[in-house]
């Protein structure tokens, strides 16, 4: 999220500081307008309105703003390039630990204020999208003593909320990293063992959700949903404990404002069966499932038509789900070729350079490059696959593409996929109609 500053609306009430914040108060002080004191386009009495997006009657058409407040080496390899040989820096944790707080703050502040701008929000809206999903780490809202992470993201996130308001976009705030790491992935902030659910990590995560919800409870005309935690790795966690956390997280977010929808990730369990009875009776509850077909040898070995048919098969399954459900991450990629997608210094399954994989095809033009430089065959396959996924995922609540922009991964770069004609404009136009019929 990017700076706040000049786009702040006139305020008649200042949000109170979150009472239990442990860090410096200025980190959590919010100078947002409280919409309950003002009139806006959603309701003449905003304090009495429900969630400011009709998740029953409208489709979510969104994009993730990845690599902004939570670093991922494959999205912005230039940030990590100086350690490409030593590989002592592989995630945001080791980045900040290696640089130290002063240098890390300087570099990251520059990144936060330039990676995404008002122009991006405007372009997203112009493309016909109506939502952005913004990943944020716990360390931005509830830093833990001893961690090397740096703060300052929230000033930029504040500005992003106003940019979204100006562009007419809704925002889902996504807690992308939890203390101890909920999945061991670099995109949790810390690559390595899964240590969430140990010690105080769950209660610390709830504190992060409380601080985040309280900060933006006066901006629910824009921030319509908060995601409790991105991709907890169910196979490495106590799933009963995950459900308890979700229940407590729901209450935490709703205590800040009843105008938030509450999103929870499926923890890599079957979204159509495992979560059917969860949250029965809870209002405004949304499942988030992530659908990629590239992170196993079998998946990257699929033909383009098999990728399409697999995506289409998800449509009826989504449609039958008894809660709101978004495909919160998906891609145009049919390969895992993008540089460092599998981790800094790691190769790809598709070309056999990843451990215990075998050659399926070449990564030429897909390891690094631009959409314009993709082969005509790759372009056609991506367009076909994207259309199939749109047709499938809109059979229920909708979707968020991953991600708006990258430095050099063309299959994942929505901004350039749109410009290159590989992502439909308008969104319901089709070059490959009827694939999911």
């Amino acid at each position: 999220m990017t700076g706040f500053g000049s786009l702040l609306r006139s305020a008649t009430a200042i949000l109170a500081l979150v009472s239990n914040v442990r860090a410096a108060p200025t980190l959590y002080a919010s100078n947002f307008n409280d919409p309950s004191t003002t009139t806006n386009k959603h309701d003449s009495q905003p304090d009495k309105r429900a969630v400011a997006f009709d998740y029953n009657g409208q489709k979510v058409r969104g994009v993730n703003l990845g690599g902004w407040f939570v670093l991922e080496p494959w999205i912005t390899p230039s940030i990590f390039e100086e350690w490409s040989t030593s590989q002592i820096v592989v995630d945001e944790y080791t980045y900040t630990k290696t640089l130290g707080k002063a240098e890390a703050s300087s570099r990251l502040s520059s990144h936060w204020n330039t990676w995404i701008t008002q122009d991006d929000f405007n372009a997203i809206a112009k493309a016909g999208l109506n939502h952005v999903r913004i990943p944020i780490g716990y360390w931005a809202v509830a830093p833990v003593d001893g961690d090397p992470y740096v703060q300052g993201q929230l000033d930029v996130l504040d500005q992003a909320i106003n940019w979204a308001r100006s562009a007419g976009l809704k925002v889902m705030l996504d807690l992308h990293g939890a203390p101890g790491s909920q999945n061991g992935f670099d995109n949790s902030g810390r690559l390595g063992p899964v240590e969430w659910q140990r010690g105080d990590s769950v209660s610390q995560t709830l504190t992060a959700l409380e601080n985040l919800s309280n900060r933006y409870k006066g901006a629910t005309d824009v921030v319509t949903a908060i995601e409790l935690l991105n991709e907890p790795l169910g196979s490495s966690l106590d799933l009963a404990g995950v459900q308890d956390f979700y229940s407590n997280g729901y209450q935490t977010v709703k205590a800040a404002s009843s105008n938030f929808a509450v999103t929870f990730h499926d923890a890599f369990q079957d979204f159509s069966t495992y979560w059917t009875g969860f949250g029965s009776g809870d209002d405004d509850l949304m499942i988030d499932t992530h659908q990629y077909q590239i992170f196993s040898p079998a998946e990257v070995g699929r033909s383009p038509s098999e990728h399409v048919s697999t995506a289409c098969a998800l449509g009826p399954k989504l449609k039958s789900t008894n809660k709101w459900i978004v495909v919160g991450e998906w891609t145009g990629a049919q390969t895992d070729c993008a540089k460092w997608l599998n981790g800094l210094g790691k190769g790809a399954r598709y070309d056999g350079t990843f451990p215990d994989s075998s050659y399926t095809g070449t990564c030429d033009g897909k390891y690094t490059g631009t959409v314009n430089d993709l082969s005509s065959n790759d372009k056609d396959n991506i367009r076909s696959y994207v259309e199939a996924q749109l047709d499938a995922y809109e059979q229920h609540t909708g979707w968020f593409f991953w991600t708006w922009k990258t430095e050099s991964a063309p299959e994942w770069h929505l901004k350039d996929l749109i410009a290159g004609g590989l992502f439909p404009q308008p969104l319901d136009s089709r070059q490959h109609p009827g694939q999911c019929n």
Side-chain angles (χ1 to χ4, degrees):
M1 307 34 267
T2 46
F4 207 42
S6 62
L7 294 175
L8 287 175
R9 301 166 66 194
S10 302
T12 60
I14 304 296
L15 289 179
L17 293 178
V18 177
S19 60
N20 65 347
V21 171
R22 180 188 53 71
T26 53
L27 227 168
Y28 305 105
S30 177
N31 50 4
F32 264 90
N33 277 348
D34 182 348
S36 68
T37 68
T38 61
T39 301
N40 64 53
K41 65 181 179 181
H42 300 294
D43 198 308
S44 61
Q45 294 180 307
D47 56 322
K48 295 182 180 180
R49 70 174 183 270
V51 175
F53 185 84
D54 180 7
Y55 289 107
N56 288 314
Q58 294 179 268
K59 299 301 181 185
V60 173
R61 293 173 161 181
V63 65
N64 287 273
L65 303 183
W68 193 4
F69 297 128
V70 180
L71 296 181
E72 297 190 38
W74 73 272
I75 296 178
T76 53
S78 67
I79 291 177
F80 293 85
E81 195 66 52
E82 64 189 276
W83 300 285
S84 61
T85 301
S86 68
Q87 296 183 23
I88 61 171
V89 172
V90 294
D91 52 29
E92 189 158 339
Y93 185 96
T94 51
Y95 180 85
T96 52
K97 183 178 180 180
T98 299
L99 290 177
K101 288 190 179 290
E103 181 63 18
S105 292
S106 176
R107 295 191 189 189
L108 286 176
S109 179
S110 176
H111 170 67
W112 298 332
N113 281 286
T114 56
W115 181 243
I116 300 291
T117 69
Q118 174 77 73
D119 287 344
D120 291 294
F121 281 82
N122 295 343
I124 290 166
K126 184 178 180 181
L129 278 67
N130 54 32
H131 276 68
V132 292
R133 179 172 177 260
I134 302 179
I136 192 80
Y138 76 90
W139 54 90
V141 288
V144 173
D145 287 337
D147 279 353
Y149 298 112
V150 299
Q151 287 71 51
Q153 305 93 326
L154 294 184
D155 290 338
V156 188
L157 180 55
D158 286 349
Q159 188 169 0
I161 303 308
N162 270 356
W163 289 345
R165 180 180 288 114
S166 175
L169 296 170
K170 303 306 182 190
V171 173
M172 177 183 290
L173 295 178
D174 154 43
L175 193 67
H176 215 71
S181 179
Q182 73 276 17
N183 52 35
F185 306 155
D186 58 12
N187 59 48
S188 72
R190 189 172 189 179
L191 179 70
V194 178
E195 296 184 340
W196 188 67
Q197 293 187 327
R198 297 185 185 181
D200 295 328
S201 59
V202 172
S203 63
Q204 291 165 339
T205 309
L206 290 170
T207 297
L209 287 171
E210 182 177 15
N211 293 343
L212 189 66
S213 302
N214 278 321
R215 186 177 185 93
Y216 297 108
K217 66 184 179 182
T220 57
D221 61 312
V222 177
V223 182
T224 54
I226 291 183
E227 183 156 359
L228 301 177
L229 188 59
N230 180 70
E231 293 187 348
L233 187 60
S235 59
S236 298
L237 296 167
D238 171 15
L239 280 168
V242 174
Q243 290 197 33
D244 287 343
F245 164 74
Y246 282 166
S247 296
N248 291 328
Y250 176 90
Q251 296 299 328
T252 297
V253 172
K254 282 295 193 179
S257 175
S258 62
N259 296 327
F260 288 127
V262 180
T263 308
F264 68 94
H265 184 261
D266 62 15
F268 302 104
Q269 307 305 298
D270 190 320
F271 61 79
S272 66
T273 57
Y274 185 85
W275 298 102
T276 298
F278 177 75
S280 179
D282 289 339
D283 294 330
D284 310 322
L285 193 60
M286 183 185 300
I287 304 174
D288 173 22
T289 185
H290 298 171
Q291 298 295 328
Y292 296 117
Q293 296 187 41
I294 53 172
F295 291 117
S296 71
E299 289 173 315
V300 297
R302 291 173 183 160
S303 68
S305 64
E306 288 171 333
H307 282 291
V308 166
S309 62
T310 300
C312 287
L314 282 167
K317 190 174 179 181
L318 291 162
K319 187 175 182 179
S320 68
T321 304
N322 68 349
K323 296 177 179 64
W324 294 338
I325 182 167
V326 290
V327 179
E329 294 185 18
W330 60 282
T331 177
Q334 298 182 358
T335 78
D336 63 337
C337 286
K339 178 180 178 178
W340 297 345
L341 178 65
N342 295 304
L344 190 145
K346 293 183 171 61
R349 297 167 186 84
Y350 190 73
D351 68 357
T353 57
F354 188 81
D356 300 320
S357 65
S358 57
Y359 182 87
T360 297
T362 179
C363 283
D364 289 352
K366 297 184 283 289
Y367 177 71
T368 61
T370 67
V371 168
N372 286 339
D373 291 335
L374 290 169
S375 71
S376 59
N377 191 49
D378 283 337
K379 289 178 179 179
D380 189 62
N381 288 336
I382 290 172
R383 173 76 189 218
S384 171
Y385 184 40
V386 164
E387 289 185 11
Q389 291 182 91
L390 293 175
D391 290 344
Y393 304 159
E394 289 198 6
Q395 291 185 40
H396 207 321
T397 312
W399 48 268
F400 291 85
F401 187 89
W402 189 280
T403 182
W404 174 241
K405 60 187 288 192
T406 71
E407 287 182 340
S408 60
E411 297 174 291
W412 299 78
H413 194 305
L414 180 57
K415 182 180 179 181
D416 283 0
L417 290 171
I418 291 171
L422 306 191
F423 204 97
Q425 289 289 286
L427 294 172
D428 58 359
S429 67
R430 295 290 180 268
Q431 294 178 3
H432 305 271
Q435 292 184 105
C436 291
N437 293 343

